[in-house]
Amino acid sequence: IPPPQTVTPQLISNQDHLVLPVELINILNNTYFLHLLATDSSQVLPPGKSLISVMSRSHTASEGDSAPTLHSKVEDFVHKAFWDEAVETLSNPEPSAQLSRLKLLYGDIHIALSPILPPKHPVLVTLSSPLSPTSSPLDSTVMHLREVLSSLRERCAPVRDPDVEALQRTLDDPPIRSSRPVALARLVAETIRYILRLSDLMKDDLSQFVLGSMTEQQLKSVVVKQAKTIEREIVLDVWRHDRIAQAWSSWMQGLQPQVNLSSAASEPRFLWVVRVVEALGSSSPVSCALPTRTAQISPTLSSEADNPQTSELVTPNVNVFPPVFFFSAPALLKIQNYLQALVITASLRSLTRLPVPTRAAHLVSGSPNPDSFSSRIWTLLRAEIAGEPGAGDTKLINLADEVIRARMQADAKSSASTSLCSSLSKEDETKLRAAVDRTLKPDDPVYKLLQSRLLTALVHALVGRRKAETVQEGTRRPVTLRTGKDGGRVGKRPRLVLDPENMDDVPYPALNSSGIAVDVKGFEDPVLSQAAAEVFGKVDDCLTWVNSIWRDVIE
């Protein structure tokens, strides 16, 4: 699945000063695009577009009368030179010269037709078999090309029939063979060239037909399966399995003792979940070390000089995930920022003296008040994290102003004042601004208390979700009955059935698109509880993704 021509998020920039081959950077960025397409397609899909619309290829651009580019001119020149040389070689009266060139052309046809024809199709068998020695190789080739065109006509779209039939009629009446068969050689070359082009058109037609027959969910499942497969292959190629396992073991050894965990969260199989949450709660930003080649300062006689191995980039950051999180690290960094924003909002709200909205009032209103203090602060911080257009740098003074505004509103309501808000004394305002500054520091007691509650609730929610999934897997019933009866559709055309091996058996994201409901003390505000549920759901999605790819390493 190639990325679109529009600007897409990149995992590694070409301007980064890393000892990395450009080819590897492109592979990692393309894999990251596929990862986003499977996990968070809204980041790469244009607004209002579905996966099917992006996967479908438009022919209008290629079939238009646009001016030829330099690349297309060079490509046409190279193709013309190739086929002119092929005609020149096939025009050689010597059968041995013709046979050597035909063998190469047969190989090209075999490669082009393998995805279209069944594996043991007679045409493929003929093309892959050694050419029989003959005094007139071109005549034998004309006979083989008739068989190829006949087989392709059976499978091509009806719109291709006229061109195929016209070429078949030409082969039925080939030019008279002369001492130097230039005309016959040109006919053979042009026919082979058309077959190669027709094979590309048939592949494109077939892909459009398959896409048009798929639902959005089916295509999503195929994309997820491909993304998981490629992501695992790339990481294994870069780091190797033994180094991945070693990095995972070292990372797990950094788990700090936990005192507020339930008995379920303390089970060995769930400790990796606790370790992830512990990393997300750190004040150091999470990251995953980029692969880099060892730069050779001076030439050596060892074989490693010609084949430098990849190694992890040395970084001062101590909050580094193992390679299994390589393509999920950007999402986890954003989640870490969201968790900090939740704690900041709850900490600031504790300074406003605002009453906590009741759950009943929230259910009656249907949605949180967009003009409430928590909504304003959370919207401000979320927009900055997401990098939304127009979201500037949120400064401490902006947050302090919001707290002072909310405090004055709360004081006005408590004193039953008729004015919109009462004023604070200069001394009270100075103290409140200092309290805001103090509360936002990670070592502040209020901040630490609220963060501990939030992270503990996150661990319990994630572990509870996984325990429930384990029980469901043990009691899952088959979706379809398999009695051995022929499932043919009597009197109807056969239905297109996708190969289950190409589809992912674990839909992503899981059934938690609305998040994971939580009830955390200090986060009772409807805005905070709803935001926490969404963030918890994002964490669960990331862990589900990583676990589905690297179960052998995690367990």
Side-chain angles (χ1 to χ4, degrees), residues 142-268:
V142 169
M143 179 183 64
H144 293 158
L145 294 180
R146 289 197 194 103
E147 298 176 0
V148 172
L149 289 175
S150 177
S151 300
L152 293 181
R153 189 183 180 281
E154 294 176 357
R155 289 166 171 77
C156 68
V159 70
R160 315 291 180 196
D161 288 350
D163 293 338
V164 177
E165 293 171 355
L167 197 53
Q168 284 179 319
R169 288 192 294 268
T170 304
L171 291 179
D172 290 338
D173 187 20
I176 299 176
R177 188 158 55 92
S178 58
S179 58
R180 185 172 177 83
V182 178
L184 186 58
R186 189 173 302 278
L187 174 62
V188 169
E190 291 178 353
T191 303
I192 295 177
R193 185 176 186 178
Y194 174 78
I195 290 174
L196 297 177
R197 180 173 177 271
L198 178 61
S199 66
D200 290 335
L201 294 175
M202 290 179 63
K203 294 172 190 174
D204 192 62
D205 293 340
L206 181 60
S207 66
Q208 298 304 305
F209 170 74
V210 173
L211 287 176
S213 304
M214 295 174 68
T215 64
E216 185 77 5
Q217 186 59 38
Q218 287 175 327
L219 182 57
K220 178 78 171 181
S221 182
V222 173
V223 171
V224 168
K225 179 71 172 182
Q226 184 179 1
K228 290 181 178 180
T229 302
I230 295 179
E231 182 173 328
R232 180 179 174 89
E233 291 176 353
I234 295 299
V235 173
L236 286 175
D237 287 342
V238 172
W239 277 280
R240 300 193 308 272
H241 194 279
D242 56 338
R243 295 181 60 196
I244 293 174
Q246 181 181 1
W248 177 268
S249 178
S250 300
W251 179 71
M252 286 298 300
Q253 290 176 4
L255 178 63
Q256 300 297 322
Q258 307 292 325
V259 295
N260 297 325
L261 295 181
S262 62
S263 57
S266 301
E267 296 181 20

Side-chain angles (χ1 to χ4, degrees), residues 341-357 373-374 377 399 402-404 406-407 410-411 432 435-440 444-451 453 521-525 528:
L342 281 171
V343 177
I344 289 174
T345 306
S347 300
L348 295 177
R349 196 187 189 286
S350 65
L351 302 175
T352 62
R353 298 178 182 173
L354 290 171
V356 178
F373 171 81
S374 298
I377 296 296
L399 300 178
E402 291 290 340
V403 173
I404 292 174
R407 170 70 75 85
D411 291 346
L432 191 54
V436 171
D437 186 18
R438 182 180 63 252
T439 304
L440 295 182
D444 178 74
V446 176
Y447 186 99
K448 293 174 65 176
L449 176 62
L450 292 173
Q451 185 186 45
R453 290 175 179 174
K521 187 176 181 180
F523 298 83
E524 298 91 350
D525 188 292
L528 296 179

Side-chain angles (χ1 to χ4, degrees), residues 214-387:
M214 295 174 68
T215 64
E216 185 77 5
Q217 186 59 38
Q218 287 175 327
L219 182 57
K220 178 78 171 181
S221 182
V222 173
V223 171
V224 168
K225 179 71 172 182
Q226 184 179 1
K228 290 181 178 180
T229 302
I230 295 179
E231 182 173 328
R232 180 179 174 89
E233 291 176 353
I234 295 299
V235 173
L236 286 175
D237 287 342
V238 172
W239 277 280
R240 300 193 308 272
H241 194 279
D242 56 338
R243 295 181 60 196
I244 293 174
Q246 181 181 1
W248 177 268
S249 178
S250 300
W251 179 71
M252 286 298 300
Q253 290 176 4
L255 178 63
Q256 300 297 322
Q258 307 292 325
V259 295
N260 297 325
L261 295 181
S262 62
S263 57
S266 301
E267 296 181 20
R269 56 175 174 157
F270 296 132
L271 288 181
W272 76 280
V273 176
V274 181
R275 183 69 178 90
V276 170
V277 176
E278 180 184 88
L280 295 176
S282 173
S283 57
S284 300
V286 298
S287 65
C288 190
L290 296 174
T292 179
R293 288 194 309 182
T294 304
Q296 297 295 327
I297 305 302
S298 60
T300 63
L301 298 177
S302 63
S303 60
E304 295 181 357
D306 297 329
N307 299 291
Q309 300 295 327
T310 57
S311 62
E312 295 184 1
L313 183 66
V314 177
T315 173
N317 185 11
V318 295
N319 200 8
V320 180
F321 278 114
V324 297
F325 293 97
F326 183 72
F327 291 100
S328 300
L332 290 172
L333 176 60
K334 187 174 293 186
I335 288 171
Q336 183 185 31
N337 292 330
Y338 281 134
L339 290 172
Q340 292 178 357
L342 281 171
V343 177
I344 289 174
T345 306
S347 300
L348 295 177
R349 196 187 189 286
S350 65
L351 302 175
T352 62
R353 298 178 182 173
L354 290 171
V356 178
T358 62
R359 189 178 299 273
H362 171 48
L363 293 177
V364 171
S365 62
S367 60
N369 180 12
D371 196 42
S372 66
F373 171 81
S374 298
S375 181
R376 291 167 64 89
I377 296 296
W378 173 249
T379 302
L380 196 67
L381 297 176
R382 183 181 60 182
E384 184 173 347
I385 295 172

